[in-house]
């Protein structure tokens, strides 16, 4: 496997999960929020769609950029920490999210894994 393939996989995490929020915001909102926190308004759908659009944009930038070993490391380790903190707080502490939000947690694990694996492969490829 090549680092560029890991980069594409990383981009797909953002594009797929972000695309779900962008194109099906009401579905995402109804699944990830516990019933007592579900809003389901036009405004909440717009906000969910905006979140998804930003994720899709991030995925496109990741797909079309050239990542170096350092890019993978920073993105994977430092970039995933805020996502894990968000998931932890709103799932375990505030208990706003349903079990469906664990799908986002799995995506964040994918980001971390792609970052570490991409770093190792890019480092190896740069020495060859």
């Amino acid at each position: 496997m090549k680092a560029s393939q890991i980069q594409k996989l990383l981009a797909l995490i953002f594009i797929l999960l972000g695309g779900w929020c962008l194109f099906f915001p009401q579905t995402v909102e109804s699944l990830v929020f516990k019933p007592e926190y579900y809003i389901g308004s036009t405004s909440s759908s717009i906000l969910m769609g905006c979140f998804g659009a930003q994720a899709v944009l991030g995925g496109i930038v990741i797909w079309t950029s050239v990542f170096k070993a350092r890019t993978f490391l920073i993105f994977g380790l430092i970039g995933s920490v805020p996502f894990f903190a968000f998931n932890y707080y709103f799932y375990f502490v505030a208990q706003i999210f349903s079990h469906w939000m664990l799908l986002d947690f799995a995506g964040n694990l994918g980001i971390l894994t792609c970052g570490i694996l991409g770093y190792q492969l890019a480092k190896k490829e740069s020495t060859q």
Side-chain angles (χ1 to χ4, degrees):
M1 183 163 277
K2 295 182 179 181
S4 61
Q5 293 170 310
I6 298 297
Q7 183 177 335
K8 302 297 189 227
L9 181 60
L10 179 60
L12 284 175
I13 293 169
F14 282 86
I15 292 168
L16 293 174
L17 289 176
W20 187 30
C21 292
L22 176 61
F23 295 112
F24 304 102
Q26 291 176 332
T27 303
V28 173
E29 186 180 357
S30 68
L31 289 174
V32 302
F33 286 102
K34 289 184 175 179
E36 60 269 27
Y37 296 104
Y38 173 72
I39 300 169
S41 69
T42 301
S43 296
S44 64
S45 290
I46 290 169
L47 294 173
M48 186 65 71
C50 288
F51 173 79
Q54 289 178 337
V56 169
L57 174 61
I60 291 168
V61 170
I62 293 167
W63 188 283
T64 59
S65 299
V66 177
F67 273 31
K68 296 181 179 185
R70 186 176 78 169
T71 312
F72 279 109
L73 187 63
I74 291 170
F75 201 92
L77 291 178
I78 298 170
S80 65
V81 169
F83 291 107
F84 282 116
F86 175 85
N87 285 143
Y88 176 80
Y89 180 78
F90 288 105
Y91 183 78
F92 291 106
V93 178
Q95 298 183 356
I96 292 174
F97 291 132
S98 72
H99 297 306
W100 277 96
M101 195 58 177
L102 294 177
L103 183 61
D104 187 62
F105 180 76
N108 297 334
L109 281 176
I111 293 169
L112 176 63
T113 303
C114 286
I116 293 169
L117 186 56
Y119 169 77
Q120 293 170 339
L121 291 171
K123 193 86 164 160
K124 182 180 174 183
E125 290 169 11
S126 70
T127 59
Q128 291 178 349

